[in-house]
Amino acid sequence: MSQHPLPDNLHLDTLAVRTAVDRSQYGENSEALYLTSGYVQPSAEASARRFAGEEDGYTYGRSGNPTVSSFEMRLAALEGSEAALATASGMSSIMLMLFSLLKAGDHVLYSQSMFGSTIKLIGSEFARFGVESTIVPQTDLAAWKAAIRPNTKILFAETPTNPLTEVCDIAALADLAHNAGALLAVDNCFATPILQRPMGMGSDIVMHSGTKYLDGQGRVMAGALCASEKLITEKFLPVIKNSGMVLSPFNAWVVLKGLETLDIRMRAQSARAHELALWLEQHPQVARVYYPGLTSHPQHDLAMKQMSGLGGAVLSFDVKAPDPQTARTQAFHVLDSLRVLSLCTNLGDTKTLLTHPASTSHGKLSEDQRQAAGIGQGLIRVAVGLEHIDDLKADLLRGLDTL
């Protein structure tokens, strides 16, 4: 069934429910889930052209799928990028980006505050193959500039960071990268395109873990890279076809439907997170709260400018304690006292999830690396969901008030 192309200049919340491949001949209103590993070809000549890349058309599940294409189209529309490519997970999208763009002797510059697995992937796994890397403080623009080398190919930032919600100046980093002949990649998982669109600030690549807010209900794993058509088709697509880091059609369909409610979820969860952060700042057992929406946050003004005036749905806080071991005990007590909220290392769910970063997401790092990243033993991360704010506070009080 033919479908009229969408008009230009639609709002993000409209694009989030309307962007997709054309409907099939059956005229389905909800996007179809195509569960197939192969595709019957109309002729041997057409098959040859498609496998040679001379004609559009699906050939094999590792090379493309209509449901996956719908997700890619929708995410690219939201991010304002020319194209997007879906992957099996957020970490596989980072793996794909690095593997596609780097070779032995190349240099990557990235933030010390990035997700722990990202640090291990770049600093340990890629180092085995001769890729050089340097870690710099997230918010120190001078340190980024000073660390650039002639062989620097990628500057990679995550903003806000996990779990301390540090914010970097995307436009400034883009200028640094481009002046050095390098690319800027931005992990946009925490903000999503609803709050922040790095492509419009100069980023060349935007990376997503669709496992988080894009799905929004903790159901599946997914990842994606948003970039120019040239980068996607010439760099990323050949590698993913040969490596098989593809997103399954079912997971693509789940995340595709999750995108339809992304706008209202991000705004509702950000509002709850802001109120909870203000409340935690006043609690006598809380030493510090990390949340971009607070005026006490070091990059508050920048965050409000880059993130559409909202702070996002993730915050972290330190419990008060005289030493690291006591801090760990205190944090564990708060987490073990929960009766409503979930002790879970994921984020982006409609359910509020709490975790202890020093023993989970950053547990594989050395103590020196954790200290450099500011991850203390008393730190608790809260990914705020959609429960009533009073119930969020009451559940946290079970632990905080009994320390």
Side-chain angles (χ1 to χ4, degrees), residues 91-123:
M91 287 309 302
S92 70
S93 70
I94 298 175
M95 179 73 177
L96 173 64
M97 176 183 71
L98 299 174
F99 194 75
S100 302
L101 299 176
L102 300 174
K103 63 182 183 305
D106 287 341
H107 177 245
V108 184
L109 185 57
Y110 64 108
S111 164
Q112 69 182 15
S113 303
M114 297 196 81
F115 181 52
S117 293
T118 303
I119 293 174
K120 293 291 286 186
L121 178 65
I122 298 174

Side-chain angles (χ1 to χ4, degrees), residues 125-290:
E125 306 307 333
F126 271 87
R128 294 191 294 120
F129 299 97
V131 173
E132 302 170 7
S133 63
T134 303
I135 296 178
V136 292
Q138 165 88 357
T139 60
D140 189 343
L141 196 62
W144 285 87
K145 185 175 182 179
I148 292 175
R149 304 175 186 174
N151 59 335
T152 301
K153 302 299 181 183
I154 300 174
L155 274 65
F156 191 15
E158 174 186 326
T159 183
T161 59
N162 177 21
L164 298 181
T165 71
E166 293 178 342
V167 176
C168 68
D169 189 328
I170 297 173
L173 284 182
D175 287 341
L176 284 182
H178 299 157
N179 288 337
L183 300 174
L184 174 65
V186 174
D187 182 333
N188 201 29
C189 292
F190 271 33
T192 81
I194 300 304
L195 304 188
Q196 176 176 275
R197 302 178 85 196
M199 301 293 292
M201 298 176 232
S203 177
D204 301 286
I205 304 166
V206 174
M207 168 264 161
H208 274 286
S209 172
T211 313
K212 313 300 190 296
Y213 291 102
L214 303 190
D215 169 24
Q217 296 185 52
R219 299 169 293 192
V220 297
M221 299 187 76
L225 295 174
C226 300
S228 66
E229 190 76 43
K230 182 179 177 67
L231 273 177
I232 294 291
T233 57
E234 295 183 8
K235 296 294 185 179
F236 302 146
L237 193 57
V239 173
I240 200 171
K241 285 181 178 179
N242 292 324
S243 64
M245 293 183 282
V246 295
L247 181 61
S248 76
F250 178 78
N251 287 10
W253 182 81
V254 171
V255 182
L256 179 70
K257 305 311 288 182
L259 287 176
E260 296 181 359
T261 60
L262 180 60
D263 184 276
I264 57 176
R265 284 189 286 105
M266 286 305 298
R267 296 184 188 281
Q269 288 171 249
S270 293
R272 285 166 171 78
H274 187 251
E275 184 173 345
L276 189 66
L278 288 170
W279 175 78
L280 282 167
E281 271 197 319
Q282 304 304 314
H283 196 280
Q285 293 295 338
V286 174
R288 180 178 176 183
V289 180
Y290 306 84

Side-chain angles (χ1 to χ4, degrees), residues 295-307:
T295 57
S296 58
H297 191 283
Q299 299 93 45
H300 172 72
D301 291 341
L302 175 62
M304 293 302 95
K305 178 183 176 182
Q306 286 188 171
M307 296 173 62

